[in-house]
Amino acid sequence: MEARKREEEVLGMPHVTLEAVEKIMADVQSEARDMEARKREEEAKEERADGEEGEESLAPLPEVDLGSPLSVYDTVEASVKYRSYATRQKRDMESWRRARGARIPPEIVYDRASLPTLKAEELEKLEAARPSTFAEASQIAGLRPGSLVFLYHHVMKKNKERKGA
C-alpha cells in the first residue's frame, strides 16, 4: 500500500519549500491533463473506426493556478515547519497556568547549574524574591514566560525525584 502525504506533511519536512511542492503539483496536474487528452483521442479514434457518433466528450480539465503570491511563501513554510514547536509551547503554558498555585520549595537553589536556561538577571530576581508559588513568581517583573515554564518543570522533576526516593 502506497503511503501518500498531504502537502502540509511534505512542507513540514526539512529542506522542502512551498515553491517545490507547487512545482510538483503543477507537474502532476500537467501529466493528468496529458493522459486525459490521450484517452480522449483514443476514444475518438475508436468511435470513428466503428462509425459511431459518440457522445460529446467531456470538457477539458480546468487549469488551476498553483502559484502562491510571493508574500505568502515564508509565512506558510514557517507556520508549517514550526507548528510542532508552537503546539508544545502552548501545551507547556497551559500546564503551567493550571499549576500556578503549586508551591515552590523554599530550599530551591536559583543558580545556573540548576536552571541553565534562565538569564542571570532572572536568577537574581528569583533569589531576591524567593516566591512560594508560581503565581507569585509570575508577578516578578522581567521573568520570561518560557523561564517560568522551565522553573515549573524543574520543580515538578525535583518533586518526582523526592517522592521516588
Side-chain angles (χ1 to χ4, degrees):
M1 181 176 185
E2 182 181 317
R4 301 188 94 187
K5 293 188 182 292
R6 296 184 336 223
E7 295 87 352
E8 185 176 322
E9 293 170 316
V10 172
L11 265 177
M13 300 168 87
H15 311 295
V16 175
T17 64
L18 178 58
E19 184 178 13
V21 171
E22 286 181 337
K23 181 179 180 337
I24 291 168
M25 290 172 63
D27 291 347
V28 167
Q29 185 183 59
S30 177
E31 187 177 308
R33 192 174 279 93
D34 292 346
M35 287 174 49
E36 180 68 23
R38 283 192 297 273
K39 179 181 167 190
R40 289 179 184 188
E41 283 178 24
E42 289 174 13
E43 288 172 354
K45 283 180 187 177
E46 287 176 10
E47 288 174 2
R48 284 192 299 266
D50 292 340
E52 297 177 10
E53 293 277 333
E55 290 181 24
E56 193 171 307
S57 63
L58 298 172
L61 291 173
E63 281 285 331
V64 177
D65 180 23
L66 296 172
S68 297
L70 292 176
S71 60
V72 302
Y73 278 85
D74 290 339
T75 303
V76 169
E77 290 175 15
S79 67
V80 169
K81 291 189 187 295
Y82 296 106
R83 178 174 289 135
S84 63
Y85 298 109
T87 301
R88 185 180 71 205
Q89 185 178 31
K90 184 177 179 181
R91 187 178 58 240
D92 285 349
M93 288 304 296
E94 288 302 318
S95 170
W96 182 82
R97 281 188 189 107
R98 285 191 303 270
R100 289 187 66 181
R103 309 223 30 91
I104 299 173
E107 69 275 3
I108 190 167
V109 178
Y110 296 107
D111 64 5
R112 176 75 59 203
S114 301
L115 303 162
T117 64
L118 275 66
K119 293 181 178 180
E121 179 184 349
E122 292 173 314
L123 293 169
E124 289 171 12
K125 288 180 178 188
L126 284 165
E127 183 61 42
R130 306 284 311 166
S132 59
T133 66
F134 288 99
E136 289 176 14
S138 69
Q139 298 303 310
I140 299 172
L143 284 184
R144 298 169 296 156
S147 296
L148 291 168
V149 170
F150 188 86
L151 175 62
Y152 169 75
H153 286 293
H154 175 73
V155 169
M156 294 301 116
K157 180 181 173 187
K158 291 292 182 191
N159 286 345
K160 284 182 183 177
E161 288 173 359
R162 244 183 301 169
K163 288 179 183 177

